[in-house]
């Protein structure tokens, strides 16, 4: 059996930056256990599997597809960058004729549409709630040490913990943080947290391009120490920073070593548009 596969760098216009995702186009049903085996073999933060909802569907003409995401360790309910990558394969490689694509996922139906050189994802928006610092103090200190933390929030829908650093810090301070995945795992064994976001208010006066906020994202609980650019984390970050800044439209930068840019628009229907650019860097076939 041969499977078409692509590697796509998401949330970037430059190859070998942003967040790489593998995208598999399934012409036929795949035996269940193979999804995880392939994701482990690809060894990227996410491998996406796109399937036809009907045998007569076509990757060039159809507009609705099934979509699943796997880390090297497990299946996840939502992945923004691999959804962006999947849409890029259909729009740019398969020359899909539709202006909007719909993916049926564990997080419901997600739409992707083209807008110039960007692809816009219609994603759920998840609220955050104040978190008792004492309950997560060991985890926070394992992530940021003795840095001054001004807010800690929790998203029960996504099991993500959001740690906001003091405004006294800048982007370079966030970039210097060194996180040990084993220490995070030892500090949080309850299953309550599946991902940790460290974030910081943006800087409009620095040497870099201006952004509303910065972030980094760590998820050793699902087999990913640091995810380079994370669409799903921004379903939480968008809610938080919209409240803090009083803005519906924002520009964000996830400052991992690879780095990536995201444009954000909170919609009147309570969802969020997260958009970015993509670069397809590899295409070929898996033989299993």
């Amino acid at each position: 059996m041969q499977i078409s596969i692509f590697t796509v760098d998401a949330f970037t216009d430059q190859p070998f930056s942003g967040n790489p995702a593998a995208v598999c186009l399934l012409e036929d049903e795949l035996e269940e256990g193979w999804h995880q085996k392939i994701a482990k073999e690809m060894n990227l933060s996410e491998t996406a599997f796109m399937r036809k909802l009907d045998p007569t569907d076509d990757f060039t003409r159809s507009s609705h597809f099934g979509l699943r995401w796997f880390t090297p360790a497990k299946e996840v309910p939502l992945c923004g960058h691999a959804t962006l990558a999947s849409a890029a394969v259909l729009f740019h490689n398969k020359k899909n004729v539709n202006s909007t694509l719909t993916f049926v996922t564990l997080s419901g139906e997600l739409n992707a549409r083209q807008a110039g050189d960007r692809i816009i994802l219609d994603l759920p928006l998840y609220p955050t709630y104040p978190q008792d610092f004492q309950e997560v103090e060991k985890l926070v200190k394992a992530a940021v040490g003795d840095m001054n933390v001004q807010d800690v929030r929790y998203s029960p829908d996504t099991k993500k913990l959001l740690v906001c650093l003091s405004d006294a810090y800048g982007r370079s301070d966030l970039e210097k943080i060194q996180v040990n995945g084993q220490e995070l795992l030892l500090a949080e064994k309850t299953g309550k947290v599946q991902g940790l976001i460290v974030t910081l208010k943006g800087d409009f006066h620095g040497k870099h391009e201006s952004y509303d906020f910065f972030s980094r994202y760590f998820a050793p609980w699902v087999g990913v120490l640091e995810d380079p650019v994370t669409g799903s984390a921004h379903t939480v970050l968008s809610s938080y920073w919209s409240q803090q800044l009083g803005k519906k439209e924002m520009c964000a930068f996830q400052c991992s070593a690879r780095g990536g840019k995201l444009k954000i628009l909170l919609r009147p229907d309570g969802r969020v548009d997260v958009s970015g650019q993509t670069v397809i860097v590899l295409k070929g076939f898996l033989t299993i």
Side-chain angles (χ1 to χ4, degrees), residues 4 18 80 84 90 95 98 103 132-133 147-148 158 161 163 169 174 197 199 209 226 235 276 282 288:
S4 293
L84 195 76
L90 294 184
K95 308 299 181 186
N98 297 282
F103 299 113
D132 182 350
F133 182 75
M147 296 181 79
N148 187 7
T158 65
L161 186 73
V163 178
Y169 297 114
L174 181 57
I197 303 166
T199 189
E209 184 178 344
E226 180 169 10
T235 63
L282 181 148
I288 61 174

Side-chain angles (χ1 to χ4, degrees), residues 19-286:
N19 200 355
V23 178
C24 296
L25 301 185
L26 303 180
E27 295 286 350
D28 302 295
E29 285 291 330
L30 186 63
E31 186 179 324
E32 184 60 34
W34 282 101
H35 299 84
Q36 193 62 69
K37 290 179 181 178
I38 291 170
K40 188 175 181 180
E41 180 79 7
M42 298 313 298
N43 200 33
L44 297 173
S45 61
E46 301 288 348
T47 297
F49 295 88
M50 199 183 324
R51 68 187 185 280
K52 299 175 180 179
L53 297 177
D54 187 273
T56 61
D57 285 345
D58 180 272
F59 288 118
T60 298
R61 292 184 294 272
S62 301
S63 61
H64 286 63
F65 301 94
L67 188 63
R68 296 171 70 182
W69 313 278
F70 287 77
T71 75
K74 66 185 294 186
E75 184 172 12
V76 295
L78 178 64
C79 178
H81 88 276
T83 306
L84 195 76
S86 300
V89 168
L90 294 184
F91 283 136
H92 302 320
N93 182 268
K94 294 300 181 180
K95 308 299 181 186
N96 192 284
V97 298
N98 297 282
S99 58
T100 300
L101 301 169
T102 300
F103 299 113
V104 179
T105 79
L106 290 176
S107 292
E109 290 192 352
L110 307 178
N111 294 323
R113 65 186 189 276
Q114 291 194 88
D117 61 354
R118 307 179 75 82
I119 295 173
I120 301 174
L121 302 180
D122 166 11
L123 298 174
L125 183 67
Y126 294 116
T128 61
Y129 301 94
Q131 167 67 48
D132 182 350
F133 182 75
Q134 288 186 333
E135 288 183 8
V136 294
E137 184 175 4
K138 287 184 180 179
L139 178 57
V140 173
K141 288 192 175 297
V144 303
D146 293 325
M147 296 181 79
N148 187 7
V149 172
Q150 70 179 28
D151 201 1
V152 180
R153 300 288 185 101
Y154 181 67
S155 164
D157 298 291
T158 65
K159 293 189 174 182
K160 290 176 174 35
L161 186 73
L162 183 152
V163 178
C164 184
L165 299 177
S166 165
D167 291 347
Y169 297 114
R171 171 177 170 172
S172 62
D173 298 303
L174 181 57
E175 291 175 339
K176 291 173 185 174
I177 292 174
Q178 295 185 357
V179 172
N180 183 303
Q182 194 61 35
E183 289 182 5
L184 294 187
L185 292 173
L186 289 172
E188 201 328 281
K189 296 179 179 179
T190 67
K192 177 181 176 179
V193 176
Q194 294 289 295
L196 188 144
I197 303 166
V198 183
T199 189
L200 181 71
K201 187 177 179 180
D203 180 2
F204 291 89
H205 307 289
K207 62 181 180 180
H208 297 285
E209 184 178 344
S210 295
Y211 295 98
D212 291 288
F213 63 89
F214 301 112
S215 68
R216 289 176 67 185
Y217 181 67
F218 307 94
W221 302 275
V222 297
V224 180
L225 172 55
E226 180 169 10
D227 201 23
V229 195
T230 319
S232 63
H234 283 78
T235 63
V236 176
L237 283 160
S238 299
S239 172
Y240 176 77
W241 281 112
S242 176
Q243 289 181 340
Q244 300 300 309
L245 302 175
K247 300 177 73 170
K248 299 292 185 184
E249 191 169 352
M250 295 172 286
C251 190
F253 189 83
Q254 191 161 332
C255 44
S256 63
R258 292 176 65 103
K261 306 175 185 178
L262 309 93
K263 287 191 174 180
I264 293 160
L265 176 64
L266 274 72
R267 296 156 40 135
D269 63 359
R271 293 175 67 82
V272 61
D273 282 344
V274 177
S275 67
Q277 295 171 279
T278 59
V279 183
I280 298 175
V281 295
L282 181 148
K283 54 185 176 181
F285 296 94
L286 279 173

